[in-house]
Amino acid sequence: ELDVKIAIAERDLAIAEDGYKKAQNALELTARNIEEGIRAATDGVRSAQATLDKAKQDYERFTKLFEEESVPKSKLDAATMAYKTAQANLEIARAKLAQAEAARNKVEIAKHDLQSAEHGVARAGKALELARLGYLEAEEEEKNAEFLAAQVEAARKVLDVAETNLDHTRILAPFDGVVAKKFLNAGDFVSPGYPVVSIYDPDNLYVTANLEETRLEGVAIDNSVDLDVDAFNPRFRGKVIKIGKATGAKFALIPRDNSAGEFTKVVQRVPIKIAIERDDRWSKLRPGLSVTIGIEHSEGK
């Protein structure tokens, strides 16, 4: 029986030494991969910061030019979108860097594994010695308890990393609203800047009317408005809360160019924003419904 215990102890020692070598290799590989990942993520942050700095300069320049009416609004919109995209890319790059730095926990886990393997070798050697002395069982139980405690600690660290990664998968809307359209479904891949859903605020519904310039006389802020919504009867009531400072065509994507002297007069339209008075039908209103308006002023509708 003693010979059998010694043979088992010698086999366990060989296995433990092999596990120690594997743990050493795993630690070296993990540390190298993580440091490379951190360097790559750091370079990504620097690149994103440089892009943001350039986009910010363009945004400030086009804002000033737009205020001076030197460029169309489309140029400012493009610069604004590039600036916001660069800000988002910088946040993503920083998140990747944070994630890469958080992965250093894997190095600690690998160190714990190496320490556990080292303890395993020591335990196996001690077991062999105790087997030869006849005291294997008590010492083995104590070492097993230490080994299991190290595994529990390593598992806790793995859980912390997993919870951090899970937090990076959540996207929060800027306000509470109603989803009007889904661009993606569960399981789809999404790139940075790609829309996921379209939402609207059900507490901020209004009517936008493009009124002919020939009918602007008498229209003013706080004028009462009859709103004939095709989907409802009777009419809604509202009031004018905003009158556009320019026609819709003035800042179109391709505005009309009359510099050649060729001109065909077309009645222009000015956007007007109308607030809707709430009643028990408010919750049934939907964006995009057709509305016919009648604006009350001193000269009638």
Side-chain angles (χ1 to χ4, degrees), residues 190-230:
V190 60
S191 300
Y194 191 86
V196 179
V197 295
S198 289
I199 64 174
Y200 68 90
D201 185 354
D203 293 325
N204 186 29
L205 298 179
Y206 56 88
V207 173
T208 298
N210 294 299
L211 195 64
E212 296 93 330
E213 58 185 333
T214 56
R215 304 180 67 181
L216 280 175
E217 185 176 357
V219 177
I221 301 298
D222 291 333
N223 280 160
S224 296
V225 183
D226 285 332
L227 301 172
D228 190 358
V229 183
D230 291 356

Side-chain angles (χ1 to χ4, degrees), residues 31-187:
R32 182 168 62 253
N33 289 341
I34 288 174
E35 291 306 318
E36 289 176 356
I38 291 175
R39 284 195 296 271
T42 301
D43 293 339
V45 170
R46 291 172 180 167
S47 176
Q49 183 64 59
T51 301
L52 176 59
D53 293 340
K54 176 64 169 59
K56 182 178 180 181
Q57 292 175 358
D58 291 341
Y59 169 75
E60 292 174 347
R61 179 166 58 86
F62 278 106
T63 298
K64 183 176 179 180
L65 290 174
F66 176 74
E67 291 173 351
E68 296 173 353
E69 299 184 354
S70 298
V71 296
K73 189 172 185 298
S74 59
K75 293 289 188 179
L76 176 59
D77 290 343
T80 302
M81 178 61 69
Y83 181 43
K84 291 182 178 179
T85 300
Q87 288 178 318
N89 288 340
L90 178 59
E91 291 301 319
I92 293 172
R94 287 173 174 171
K96 289 182 178 180
L97 177 57
Q99 183 177 0
E101 291 176 342
R104 282 198 172 107
N105 290 332
K106 293 182 180 179
V107 175
E108 296 302 319
I109 293 172
K111 288 180 180 179
H112 281 290
D113 291 341
L114 181 61
Q115 291 176 354
S116 296
E118 184 177 6
H119 291 158
V121 172
R123 183 170 60 254
K126 188 67 175 179
L128 178 59
E129 179 182 353
L130 291 177
R132 289 169 178 166
L133 297 176
Y135 299 105
L136 175 63
E137 292 184 4
E139 187 68 16
E140 186 66 19
E141 288 298 327
E142 181 180 350
K143 295 298 181 180
N144 281 339
E146 294 177 359
F147 179 73
L148 292 175
Q151 284 187 322
V152 170
E153 183 63 24
R156 286 198 183 103
K157 293 184 179 297
V158 172
L159 177 61
D160 291 340
V161 174
E163 289 176 343
T164 300
N165 291 336
L166 179 61
D167 288 339
H168 294 160
T169 65
R170 295 189 175 98
I171 302 175
L172 300 179
F175 58 84
D176 294 337
V178 177
V179 175
K181 183 176 180 180
K182 291 173 60 178
F183 296 93
L184 297 169
N185 296 307

